[in-house]
């Protein structure tokens, strides 16, 4: 993997667009480059919610989900410097790990809602 964030729309949604500061609800699967799954909202049985574009999630998500529309599915190839960098996270994510996410955008809530 190169050192740049790679964004691939698997399905282009037709709903509300992700903007900075929006609360988003997603389902996702996170894997390492070798295919090892390290996390999945599907496995937990509940959607993942976060505020996007404000540093509350990894930079790869803050950057990579901007402009995505509800109903869409996107694959992100996140280089380590936009993920956890030199830090180890849990048992699977070693320092300098590049991460791959498959994300399904379920809902976008903004201050206007």
């Amino acid at each position: 993997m190169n050192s740049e964030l790679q964004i691939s729309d698997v399905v282009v949604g037709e709903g509300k667009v992700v903007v900075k500061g929006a609360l988003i609800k997603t389902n996702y699967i996170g894997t390492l480059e070798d295919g090892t799954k390290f996390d999945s909202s599907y496995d937990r049985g509940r959607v993942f919610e976060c505020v996007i574009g404000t540093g509350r999630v990894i930079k790869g998500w803050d950057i990579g989900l901007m402009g995505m529309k509800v109903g869409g599915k996107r694959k992100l190839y996140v280089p380590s410097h936009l993920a956890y960098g030199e830090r180890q996270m849990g048992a699977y994510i070693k320092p300098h790990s590049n991460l791959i996410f498959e994300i399904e955008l379920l809902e976008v809530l903004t201050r206007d809602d």
Side-chain angles (χ1 to χ4, degrees), residues 73-106:
K73 292 184 180 183
R74 184 171 277 186
K75 195 168 193 176
L76 298 180
Y77 298 87
V78 182
S80 67
H81 71 278
L82 295 176
Y84 298 105
E86 297 179 1
R87 296 177 292 162
Q88 175 154 338
M89 294 300 292
Y92 296 106
I93 303 175
K94 305 294 183 208
H96 307 289
S97 290
N98 298 319
L99 307 178
I100 300 167
F101 293 93
E102 294 178 33
I103 303 163
E104 177 184 12
L105 184 60
L106 305 172

Side-chain angles (χ1 to χ4, degrees), residues 1-2 4-8 10 27-42 58 60-61 65 74-84 92-94 96-104:
M1 180 183 292
N2 66 33
E4 298 300 317
L5 176 67
Q6 296 176 41
I7 301 167
S8 174
V10 178
N27 270 316
Y28 72 91
I29 298 171
T31 59
L32 303 175
E33 288 181 290
D34 68 4
T36 302
K37 180 168 51 173
F38 63 82
D39 195 11
S40 170
S41 63
Y42 297 102
I58 62 172
W61 273 50
L65 295 182
R74 184 171 277 186
K75 195 168 193 176
L76 298 180
Y77 298 87
V78 182
S80 67
H81 71 278
L82 295 176
Y84 298 105
Y92 296 106
I93 303 175
K94 305 294 183 208
H96 307 289
S97 290
N98 298 319
L99 307 178
I100 300 167
F101 293 93
E102 294 178 33
I103 303 163
E104 177 184 12

